[in-house]
Amino acid sequence: MSDHTWPSARTGAGPCLPSDRPIKSDCRPVCALHNHTAGPQRQPVQVHLHSSVYLFTMAAPRKVCIVGSGNWGSAIAKIVGANAAQNSKFDNTVKMWVFEETVNGRKLTEIINTDHENVKYLPGHKLPANVLAVPDLVEASSDADILVFVIPHQFVGKVCDTIKGKIKSDALGISLIKGVDEGPDGLKLISDVIQEKLGITMSVLMGANIANEVADEKFCETTIGCKNKNHGALLKELMQTNNFRVTVVEEYDVVEICGALKNIVAVGAGFCDGLGFGDNTKAAVIRLGLMEMIAFARIFCTAGPVSSATFLESCGVADLITTCYGGRNRKVAEAFVKTGKSIEELEKEMLNGQKLQGPATAAEVYLILKHKNLIDKFPLFNAVYQICYQGHPVTEFISCLQNHPEHM
Ligand SMILES: NC(=O)c1ccc[n+]([C@@H]2O[C@H](COP(=O)([O-])OP(=O)(O)OC[C@H]3O[C@@H](n4cnc5c(N)ncnc54)[C@H](O)[C@@H]3O)[C@@H](O)[C@H]2O)c1
């Protein structure tokens, strides 16, 4: 690894060590003297061949912690747990920080560790037995080499403040969080917030990945945004399965901004559903939304080039389509139109503790655009904010589509 130092392997005893845990199939050192697999494979292995002694040193397995255990956190725990159990690059135990709550009179962590199911956020899916639910955030994260952040974005600040200075300084972080923050100079990516607070190298994973479908192992694609090729390859190994195909691209900021902004567009798609419009209208919302996403990225993603190709990855157009048809933002926005209830009421009523990202992101984006005097250039994003929070009639969304600058 060019810019990252992984824990070095221990030096130690010979080839025939007793195994203290199941040995994974893909990388077993073979004891040449006794012609059987030696373990544990994490130990450096001396193999005696004739009179020569060769020392094979293997990197210590990376410990992985999943910070979050909601719908998506639990679905990704299913994948990461299964991959870690089979790949000697990763420690077998995957810790998952669970925001403790009581469900049917039992602690959620106890339910997960006993029944191997997150009955509140991902019911009906067994988690691998090597996924260990831990209620204490510091305990869960302090020895991790890889931290997978997957919490609603409104909790990021508090979570980082809790673990700051208590995690490995050379840990790698990957954010699956969709949302943006508003900094003094305008836009702040969630991965930048985490990186600044914790001082660790961050990557992101975003894509057309509705959690329940991923947990059902229905085929889909995803995108990792990562500046370092070695880190990207390692994270891909941790995340990829036959039914969850990972592409790694360098434009991590574009990948992340797509993941945040598509939720605003999905709220607009839900408005159209609530008003009784059809698929043609939704296609127009998707197209105009995509144009605003690209324009936004070209202004605010200043870390490097913003190429059109990134919008053609799963994190771009694919995630936008799936969210505008299937996601919770669309669903709640439709109910917002049909019931006249507030977004907050509907979030409580419809989502069983899950959090909505689209309206909150629209509010943050509104402030960012206002700060730069750019509101007029993003009428779709602005209309979603005005309708959700400023009491504007939902029919204004259709006027916004009719008068969009793309048509002028
Ligand atoms: N669900 C999906 O299909 C999906 C897909 C891709 C990305 N994402 C993104 O993943 C992120 C996490 O979403 P999710 O679906 O896993 O969560 P969720 O909305 O299903 O669940 C909410 C989570 O927040 C936790 N929580 C509640 N109060 C808290 C507090 N005060 N502090 C910390 N945690 C608290 C809950 O325990 C629960 O784990 C979001 O940014 C979301 O946009 C979700």
Side-chain angles (χ1 to χ4, degrees):
M1 303 259 152
S2 55
D3 66 348
H4 190 83
T5 312
W6 288 106
S8 59
R10 289 164 287 173
T11 50
C16 302
L17 298 166
S19 175
D20 58 359
R21 42 178 286 196
I23 297 191
K24 297 171 183 179
S25 58
D26 57 340
C27 194
R28 295 192 200 191
V30 174
C31 170
L33 280 184
H34 305 102
N35 197 26
H36 65 251
T37 46
Q41 74 273 37
R42 315 308 187 201
Q43 301 282 351
V45 179
Q46 288 178 346
V47 179
H48 304 263
L49 288 173
H50 309 291
S51 57
S52 314
V53 177
Y54 299 94
L55 181 68
F56 294 104
T57 307
M58 300 177 72
R62 282 76 163 177
K63 291 184 195 302
V64 182
C65 170
I66 299 175
V67 181
S69 54
N71 191 224
W72 186 218
S74 302
I76 214 71
K78 205 179 154 199
I79 290 178
V80 168
N83 282 350
Q86 289 171 15
N87 188 329
S88 58
K89 287 188 184 160
F90 306 107
D91 193 88
N92 187 65
T93 300
V94 172
K95 290 185 188 167
M96 177 169 77
W97 173 60
V98 174
F99 181 77
E100 190 68 287
E101 51 191 303
T102 305
V103 182
N104 302 327
R106 293 169 73 197
K107 286 184 174 167
L108 187 54
T109 47
E110 185 220 309
I111 298 174
I112 294 172
N113 289 335
T114 313
D115 305 342
H116 305 295
E117 184 177 339
N118 186 340
V119 291
K120 176 152 186 189
Y121 294 103
L122 191 65
H125 291 277
K126 287 288 174 204
L127 298 177
N130 58 324
V131 172
L132 181 69
V134 180
D136 186 285
L137 178 55
V138 174
E139 189 190 325
S141 57
S142 58
D143 64 352
D145 302 297
I146 300 177
L147 290 153
V148 180
F149 292 90
V150 56
I151 46 174
H153 79 286
Q154 40 279 61
F155 305 131
V156 167
K158 191 154 176 245
V159 161
C160 289
D161 291 342
T162 306
I163 61 175
K164 191 180 167 137
K166 294 173 182 151
I167 56 167
K168 288 188 173 177
S169 57
D170 60 355
L172 281 189
I174 180 163
S175 172
L176 279 54
I177 299 166
K178 291 180 173 170
V180 284
D181 205 4
E182 183 221 339
D185 303 320
L187 176 83
K188 207 148 197 206
L189 299 172
I190 300 295
S191 65
D192 286 343
V193 174
I194 299 173
Q195 185 151 5
E196 276 175 28
K197 280 189 182 272
L198 302 180
I200 59 173
T201 305
M202 289 296 299
S203 301
V204 298
L205 179 147
M206 309 275 149
N209 306 139
I210 289 179
N212 291 332
E213 292 182 22
V214 175
D216 280 339
E217 297 175 26
K218 292 177 177 164
F219 178 85
C220 67
E221 300 173 311
T222 198
T223 313
I224 286 179
C226 181
K227 285 173 286 186
N228 179 300
K229 279 196 170 58
N230 293 331
H231 297 172
L234 183 73
L235 293 168
K236 180 171 176 165
E237 269 193 70
L238 182 64
M239 300 286 182
Q240 178 158 272
T241 71
N242 277 346
N243 289 313
F244 190 69
R245 303 308 288 172
V246 177
T247 302
V248 183
V249 302
E250 278 185 29
E251 291 175 13
Y252 75 98
D253 52 347
V254 181
V255 173
E256 186 168 357
I257 208 71
C258 284
L261 297 177
K262 58 98 197 193
N263 280 334
I264 308 179
V265 185
V267 173
F271 289 158
C272 294
D273 287 342
L275 290 167
F277 285 80
D279 285 343
N280 293 345
T281 313
K282 197 180 283 186
V285 172
I286 290 171
R287 193 188 79 82
L288 294 172
L290 182 62
M291 299 307 280
E292 291 196 14
M293 284 168 59
I294 294 170
F296 191 95
R298 294 218 157 115
I299 295 170
F300 290 98
C301 293
T302 50
V306 176
S307 59
S308 305
T310 304
F311 296 92
L312 300 178
E313 296 291 348
S314 182
C315 63
V317 70
D319 195 9
L320 184 59
I321 292 168
T322 200
T323 312
C324 287
Y325 278 91
R328 63 181 91 151
N329 290 285
R330 188 219 64 80
K331 189 168 79 172
V332 171
E334 181 181 21
F336 177 79
V337 178
K338 288 184 170 166
T339 65
K341 292 180 181 174
S342 72
I343 292 286
E344 290 75 19
E345 277 175 284
L346 291 167
E347 189 180 32
K348 282 199 191 85
E349 272 180 33
M350 296 176 68
L351 295 184
N352 188 33
Q354 293 190 330
K355 300 287 170 205
L356 210 56
Q357 308 296 327
T361 306
E364 273 139 14
V365 163
Y366 173 82
L367 291 174
I368 291 162
L369 292 173
K370 194 166 169 224
H371 183 75
K372 295 259 182 200
N373 217 8
L374 285 169
I375 286 173
D376 294 348
K377 303 260 184 261
F378 296 88
L380 189 151
F381 292 168
N382 185 36
V384 169
Y385 167 72
Q386 302 282 4
I387 294 163
C388 289
Y389 294 113
Q390 300 292 308
H392 286 219
V394 75
T395 46
E396 250 182 39
F397 191 72
I398 304 302
S399 324
C400 148
L401 300 179
Q402 289 163 338
N403 299 304
H404 199 278
E406 282 291 313
H407 303 140
M408 299 299 156

